[in-house]
Amino acid sequence: MSETAVKTGHPKGLWVLFGTEMWERFNFYGMRAILTLFLVNSLMMKEEDASLIYGGFLGLCYLTPMLGGFIADRFFGNRNCILLGGLMMAVGQFLLFTSASVFGSNLSLANMLMWSALGIIIFGNGFFKPNISSMVGSLYPKQEKTKLDTAFTIFYMGINLGAFLGQTICPYLGDEVVNGVQNVHAFKWGFLAASVAMLIGTAVFYILKNKYVVTPEGKPLGGLPKYNDNSDYEEGESQTAVFSTKSLIGAFIAFVALFFAFRFLLDGDNFIKTIIYPIIYASGLTLAGLIVSDSSLTKVERDRIFVIYIVGFFIIFFWAAFEQAGSSLTFIAANQTDRTFMFGWQMPASMVQVFNGIFVFGFALPFSILWDKLRANGKEPLSTVKQAIGLGLIALSYFIIAYNVKDLGNSGLLAIKWLILLYLIQTFAELCLSPIGLSLVGKLSPKRFASLLFGVFFLSNAAGYALSGTLGSIMPATGDKFLKAEKLGINLQGVLDKTITPSAEQLVLLEKNQISPTNPVFAGFEIHNLFEFFMVFVVLTGVAAVILFALTPVIKKMMHGVR
C-alpha cells in the first residue's frame, strides 16, 4: 500500500469488523422484526405486554454492554468477548427456534424456552456490542482520529446491510399470512435463519482477526489487557481507573435508591415495567456517576465525559421514538395498513421495517461524503448540532404520520407509502445521530474507559428502548380490535367513550380476545386515538431537539477542541 493510501484510506480491519457486525445485525434485526408478532400470535400475549417485553428485551441488550465492556477492559480483551458473545447469541436464537417449534403442544415449555433465549441473547449482545465498536476506534492512531466520523458511518452501513438482510429474509421465512390468517407455525424458520447468520459472523471474525484487525504497525488489537503496553495510551494518560472504596459503596447505595425511586414512579403489576425498567434506568445513572468519581480523571477528561452523558440523555428520546418500529408501528402495519405493494403483492407486516435498512444503506455513503466535504471547507456542524437535526427530523416524521391517521376512523387503512416516507425521514435522522454519537464517544473517551464509556453510551440506548416499550404499550385500539369486537356483538367505541357499560360476560370476551375496554393513559392524559398517540412522539422529540440545539455553545466549550 502506498504512503498516500495509508494516510487517506481506511485500514482493512474496518472491513472485517464491518462484515462481523453485518451478520450480527442480520441475526438481531431479523429476530426483532418477528418477535412481537410471535409473542402475540403464537404465545397468545396481549399487544401491550408484547410491547413491554420488546422494550425490556432491547433495553437489557443495551444494559449488558457495560458489563461486557468492563470484563473486556479488565480481563478477557475485546477479541475473546466478541467470540463469546457471538456464540451465545447463536444459541439464544436456536432456543427461540425451539420455542416456536413446540408451543402448539406445550405452551408452558415454549414460554420457558422463549425467556431463556432472550436472557442468553441479552448477555451475548453485552459481550459483543461494546467491544466491536471499541475496536473500530482502536484501528486509528491519534493523528487519524478525524477519520472516525467517516469510519463509523461505513461501519454503520455494515449494521444496516445486515439489518436489511435480516428484516427481509426472517419475515419472508417466518411471517406467513395465508388467506388473511397468520401461520403461527412459520416463525421458527425466521429464528433459525437468525441463528445461522450469527454463526457465520462469528466465524468471519475468528478466521480474519489475526491478519487484519491490527494496528498500523501490525500489532493485534483487542488482546488480553495484561499485554497492553505504554504505546497503547496517550502521553500522560492514566492507564487504570481509580475507584475508591467510598465511591463504590456510594454507587451501590445510589443504585438501590434509584431503583426504588423508579419503581415507585413506574407503578403497576407488570414484571418488565416494575423490575427491568427500573434496573435499566438506575444502572445508567449509577455507572455514569461512578466513572466521573474516578480520582485519576483530569478536568479536560471529566468535561469530555460529561459531554458524552449530555448527548446520551438526548439520545434516549430519539430511540424511544425510533424503536416503535418493532412494536406499535409493526402492529399498525399488521392491523391498520393497506400493505399492497408492487404487482398486488401483500408485504408481510414485519417486513415493512426493512425500508429503514434499505435507506440507510443507500444514504450512509452520501451522508459520509457530505460530512467530509463540509469538514474540508471548515463548515461541518458540531456533532451535537447534527444530533439536534436528527431529533427534529424524527418529530417531523411522526407529525406527517399523525396527520395521515387523523381521519382514518376505526376501519380506514393507512396507505403503505406513508410508513415508507416515515422510515425515509427517520433514516435521515438516524444518519445525523447514531453513527455520529458512536464517533463522538470514540473521540472523547480516555483509553482506560473506552469500552466502559461505550457501555454507558449504549445505556442511553437501553433507557430509550425501555421508554419505547412504555410508549408502545399506550397505543390505542387499532381497526382490527373494533372489527373483532363487532363480531362479538360489542360496540367497542361506545365502551371506550364510556357511553356504553359492558356486561361482565362482555368484559370476559374482550379479555379473551386481547382487547382493552379502556383507553391507555400517559402522563395523566388519556390517549383516545392514533393521532394523539403519534403526537406524543412529536412533542417529546421536538422539545428535545430545541433544547439540545440551545445547549450547543456550552457543549462546544466542554469538548476542549474535539469536534
Side-chain angles (χ1 to χ4, degrees), residues 463-510:
Y465 294 145
L467 183 56
S468 85
T470 299
L471 294 174
S473 72
I474 64 164
M475 185 179 75
T478 45
D480 61 307
K481 305 291 184 301
F482 292 96
L483 288 172
K484 202 183 280 186
E486 192 180 322
K487 287 178 183 173
L488 297 168
I490 301 169
N491 180 349
L492 181 58
Q493 189 63 62
V495 172
L496 294 173
D497 293 342
K498 300 183 180 68
T499 57
I500 294 173
T501 304
S503 66
E505 292 82 2
Q506 287 177 324
L507 287 173
V508 170
L509 273 176
L510 289 173

Side-chain angles (χ1 to χ4, degrees), residues 177-293:
V177 178
V178 182
N179 297 324
V181 179
Q182 185 85 47
N183 177 1
V184 294
H185 298 285
F187 292 112
K188 61 185 176 186
W189 303 118
F191 296 133
L192 183 62
S195 181
V196 171
M198 193 63 252
L199 288 173
I200 294 171
T202 308
V204 165
F205 182 75
Y206 180 75
I207 293 165
L208 299 177
K209 67 183 189 310
N210 290 335
K211 186 172 182 182
Y212 297 115
V213 186
V214 293
T215 64
E217 298 75 40
K219 181 184 170 186
L221 284 170
L224 295 174
K226 64 181 180 182
Y227 296 128
N228 286 346
D229 58 40
N230 292 335
S231 67
D232 293 318
Y233 300 87
E234 288 192 24
E235 190 177 339
E237 180 185 347
S238 175
Q239 294 184 18
T240 55
V242 182
F243 296 127
S244 66
T245 305
K246 184 180 171 184
S247 65
L248 289 169
I249 293 170
F252 176 75
I253 294 168
F255 172 80
V256 173
L258 286 165
F259 170 81
F260 283 106
F262 282 117
R263 189 164 182 201
F264 174 75
L265 290 170
L266 299 168
D267 62 336
D269 55 6
N270 183 285
F271 168 77
I272 302 288
K273 196 174 176 182
T274 58
I275 302 293
I276 301 300
Y277 288 2
I279 287 174
I280 291 169
Y281 297 140
S283 298
L285 289 170
T286 303
L287 183 65
L290 180 63
I291 288 176
V292 292
S293 75

Side-chain angles (χ1 to χ4, degrees), residues 213-471:
V213 186
V214 293
T215 64
E217 298 75 40
K219 181 184 170 186
L221 284 170
L224 295 174
K226 64 181 180 182
Y227 296 128
N228 286 346
D229 58 40
N230 292 335
S231 67
D232 293 318
Y233 300 87
E234 288 192 24
E235 190 177 339
E237 180 185 347
S238 175
Q239 294 184 18
T240 55
V242 182
F243 296 127
S244 66
T245 305
K246 184 180 171 184
S247 65
L248 289 169
I249 293 170
F252 176 75
I253 294 168
F255 172 80
V256 173
L258 286 165
F259 170 81
F260 283 106
F262 282 117
R263 189 164 182 201
F264 174 75
L265 290 170
L266 299 168
D267 62 336
D269 55 6
N270 183 285
F271 168 77
I272 302 288
K273 196 174 176 182
T274 58
I275 302 293
I276 301 300
Y277 288 2
I279 287 174
I280 291 169
Y281 297 140
S283 298
L285 289 170
T286 303
L287 183 65
L290 180 63
I291 288 176
V292 292
S293 75
D294 176 14
S295 58
S296 71
L297 285 172
T298 63
K299 182 187 183 304
V300 171
E301 286 177 333
R302 189 172 273 110
D303 280 355
R304 287 174 174 171
I305 288 171
F306 273 122
V307 171
I308 293 173
Y309 293 171
I310 293 167
V311 168
F313 173 75
F314 286 97
I315 274 177
I316 290 171
F317 300 102
F318 173 82
W319 288 117
F322 187 86
E323 275 304 330
Q324 295 305 307
S327 54
S328 65
L329 289 175
T330 291
F331 293 137
I332 286 165
N335 302 322
Q336 202 155 359
T337 300
D338 179 1
R339 300 191 310 278
T340 307
F341 207 60
M342 289 184 285
F343 311 113
W345 176 58
Q346 282 283 315
M347 175 177 276
S350 59
M351 198 185 282
V352 178
Q353 304 170 47
V354 80
F355 288 105
N356 173 238
I358 292 171
F359 292 142
V360 173
F361 199 72
F363 288 101
L365 199 55
F367 265 75
S368 174
I369 293 166
L370 172 67
W371 302 140
D372 284 345
K373 286 201 169 185
L374 288 171
R375 189 184 312 120
N377 295 326
K379 294 178 180 177
E380 185 185 19
L382 204 67
S383 293
T384 49
V385 174
K386 295 177 188 175
Q387 291 173 316
I389 292 168
L391 281 163
L393 286 170
I394 284 279
L396 173 65
S397 74
Y398 277 111
F399 182 77
I400 291 170
I401 211 82
Y403 182 81
N404 280 283
V405 298
K406 193 173 185 180
D407 299 318
L408 283 183
N410 296 337
S411 56
L413 294 178
L414 181 70
I416 195 172
K417 66 182 179 182
W418 296 117
L419 283 176
I420 295 171
L421 178 62
L422 173 134
Y423 284 123
L424 175 65
I425 296 171
Q426 291 196 356
T427 297
F428 292 161
E430 188 182 3
L431 288 169
C432 286
L433 193 138
S434 195
I436 305 304
L438 290 170
S439 168
L440 198 63
V441 179
K443 288 187 278 192
L444 293 172
S445 298
K447 171 77 177 176
R448 65 192 179 283
F449 284 129
S451 293
L452 198 56
L453 276 167
F454 271 108
V456 173
F457 184 72
F458 288 132
L459 268 174
S460 65
N461 292 24
Y465 294 145
L467 183 56
S468 85
T470 299
L471 294 174

Side-chain angles (χ1 to χ4, degrees), residues 147-164:
K147 290 182 182 177
L148 277 180
D149 272 13
T150 309
F152 272 105
T153 302
I154 292 169
F155 182 65
Y156 215 66
M157 284 177 70
I159 291 174
N160 285 279
L161 176 58
F164 163 68

Side-chain angles (χ1 to χ4, degrees), residues 522-536:
F522 177 68
F525 294 97
E526 188 174 351
I527 308 294
H528 298 89
N529 50 50
L530 288 175
F531 172 76
E532 293 179 4
F533 172 68
F534 286 123
M535 286 304 293
V536 169

